Amino acid sequence: DAGVIQSPRHEVTEMGQEVTLRCKPISGHDYLFWYRQTMMRGLELLIYFNNNVPIDDSGMPEDRFSAKMPNASFSTLKIQPSEPRDSAVYFCASSSYNNEQFFGPGTRLTVL
Amino acid sequence: AQSVTQPDIHITVSEGASLELRCNYSYGATPYLFWYVQSPGQGLQLLLKYFSGDTLVQGIKGFEAEFKRSQSSFNLRKPSVHWSDAAEYFCAVGPNGGATNKLIFGTGTLLAVQP
């Protein structure tokens, strides 16, 4: 398996623009997680899905953030409109029944 | 409340020296325990995990960790550190069974290796 795939790897955008981050989990994994990592706040769980259904979105910072999982092999995290304070590395991870999470390489987002 | 504490934010060791990174947790029951490593610019990679059984677990890259229930600890060790071990290390805990796979991560320990 290719592991968790994230795209793009780097994204530079201007404040106010819409940003969409993409994730393909490992085949057969039924949990998918979105994290954000910054120097100031460390690793934060934003939202996670089980069998494509959002289970806990309490970590989503505000309404500008939204996440979807239309099928078992694809998820998106959208920020609209983006702000400079959204600059961070965003990770996607997936897991199966035993809690072991496999992380993608991350998307480094810079909002100017 | 469930939490993971990594008391050392930053550690520097000499190459070839032994290493111990501390992790303490607060959890309602015996959890699943994990150590992840993150090299600069990379995602998190699993080093090792404890689910049950032998409390001393072996991982990749020569790392091991020991689960001590009485101390609520899961410290990571390596007998001889290599320069390539310089990275950030995260301890995490998760439910042993149940309806969620959500992990709680510590704040990480940044390891620097001196030549």
Side-chain angles (χ1 to χ4, degrees), chain A residues 52-108:
Chain A
N52 312 338
V53 176
I55 302 300
D56 183 354
D57 65 354
S58 60
M60 296 286 262
E62 47 197 275
D63 292 346
R64 297 185 296 107
F65 286 69
S66 63
K68 294 182 179 180
M69 193 165 185
N71 57 63
S73 59
F74 184 66
S75 177
T76 60
L77 178 67
K78 186 175 294 186
I79 308 172
Q80 167 63 20
S82 58
E83 296 182 4
R85 59 193 169 118
D86 302 331
S87 298
V89 181
Y90 291 81
F91 289 104
C92 176
S94 69
S95 72
S96 60
Y97 65 97
N98 65 0
N99 292 11
E100 179 181 340
Q101 292 186 17
F102 293 80
F103 282 76
T107 295
R108 181 172 296 276

Side-chain angles (χ1 to χ4, degrees), chain A residues 11-79:
Chain A
E11 177 81 28
V12 180
T13 190
E14 293 188 346
M15 183 174 62
Q17 296 299 305
E18 177 179 295
V19 174
T20 299
L21 310 181
R22 296 173 176 79
C23 175
K24 176 179 170 54
I26 292 172
S27 177
H29 283 188
D30 48 10
Y31 286 87
L32 184 139
F33 304 82
W34 282 101
Y35 292 89
R36 178 173 68 175
Q37 187 177 42
T38 61
M39 290 290 292
M40 292 299 297
R41 301 176 67 90
L43 190 66
E44 303 173 274
L45 176 65
L46 301 177
I47 185 172
Y48 78 95
F49 296 82
N50 179 216
N51 292 323
N52 312 338
V53 176
I55 302 300
D56 183 354
D57 65 354
S58 60
M60 296 286 262
E62 47 197 275
D63 292 346
R64 297 185 296 107
F65 286 69
S66 63
K68 294 182 179 180
M69 193 165 185
N71 57 63
S73 59
F74 184 66
S75 177
T76 60
L77 178 67
K78 186 175 294 186
I79 308 172

Side-chain angles (χ1 to χ4, degrees), chain B:
Chain B
Q2 300 169 348
S3 65
V4 177
T5 301
Q6 293 181 248
D8 303 307
I9 296 174
H10 188 265
I11 284 182
T12 300
V13 300
S14 297
E15 191 168 15
S18 63
L19 171 71
E20 183 169 27
L21 302 183
R22 295 182 290 167
C23 173
N24 291 94
Y25 66 89
S26 174
Y27 211 80
T30 301
Y32 287 172
L33 296 155
F34 305 85
W35 274 99
Y36 284 84
V37 61
Q38 185 180 27
S39 298
Q42 304 294 316
L44 279 70
Q45 179 186 19
L46 182 70
L47 274 178
L48 48 77
K49 61 196 175 192
Y50 172 78
F51 289 166
S52 65
D54 192 346
T55 55
L56 183 64
V57 293
Q58 303 297 319
I60 62 171
K61 305 184 181 186
F63 285 90
E64 66 178 26
E66 185 171 13
F67 168 55
K68 293 186 177 180
R69 185 191 309 272
S70 61
Q71 299 177 19
S72 296
S73 70
F74 189 57
N75 294 350
L76 182 71
R77 301 194 293 250
K78 185 168 185 178
S80 178
V81 171
H82 188 262
W83 64 266
S84 60
D85 293 325
E88 189 156 23
Y89 292 80
F90 293 90
C91 180
V93 300
N96 186 334
T100 174
N101 275 19
K102 182 177 174 179
L103 296 183
I104 300 170
F105 283 86
T107 51
T109 297
L110 187 61
L111 173 66
V113 180
Q114 287 181 333

